[in-house]
Amino acid sequence: MKWLVLSIISLVLWGLWSILIKIALKYADWCRVALLSSTAALATTIMAVILAKPKSELNQQAIYYAMIAGAIGVLGNLAFNMALEIGSTSIVTSVSALYPLITLILGKLVLREEITVTQLIGIILAVIAIILMSIKNIG
């Protein structure tokens, strides 16, 4: 049940985050907003790690995959900031929030995880959602 509470906290914080980014973009361009946001994120992460007192050791695989994931995450955030600068908050946030679609597909291809019928229906509905949310805004 703890995972659900943390997931809901994440949901609320990410919803607030996207609105705050859009507001910040009224006062500065995407690259300044991304730099400031990432600086605050790094400081917050450092404080959280210090408070958590990690018990596991780092190994080469952890460093490798975590660093690549971090770089990819930053690139995703930069694209999100650029999209928000020129697009509607509700559309940009909704379309980008469908990233689990990519996770599902890559989970199948890379990790050999099973895609259930329910998940397949979700993938189809997610694609339909992207199309429906984007129709008016394309072009």
Side-chain angles (χ1 to χ4, degrees), residues 10-105:
S10 176
L11 168 84
V12 171
L13 292 175
W14 282 341
L16 179 58
W17 169 76
S18 63
I19 293 297
L20 291 171
I21 291 292
K22 183 65 173 186
I23 293 169
L25 287 166
K26 290 181 179 182
Y27 304 102
D29 60 16
W30 69 265
C31 53
R32 300 268 185 205
V33 170
L35 178 63
L36 293 169
S37 176
S38 295
T39 301
L42 178 60
T44 304
T45 302
I46 290 170
M47 287 189 296
V49 169
I50 289 169
L51 292 173
K53 299 176 185 159
K55 291 152 186 64
S56 64
E57 295 295 320
L58 282 178
N59 62 44
Q60 188 173 357
Q61 290 82 8
I63 294 169
Y64 176 76
Y65 287 109
M67 296 295 282
I68 291 173
I72 288 172
V74 167
L75 292 173
N77 279 330
L78 293 176
F80 181 79
N81 278 281
M82 288 185 267
L84 265 185
E85 188 172 49
I86 57 177
S88 165
T89 306
S90 59
I91 303 300
V92 169
T93 303
S94 297
V95 171
S96 65
L98 292 171
Y99 71 87
L101 173 68
I102 304 302
T103 304
L104 258 171
I105 294 167

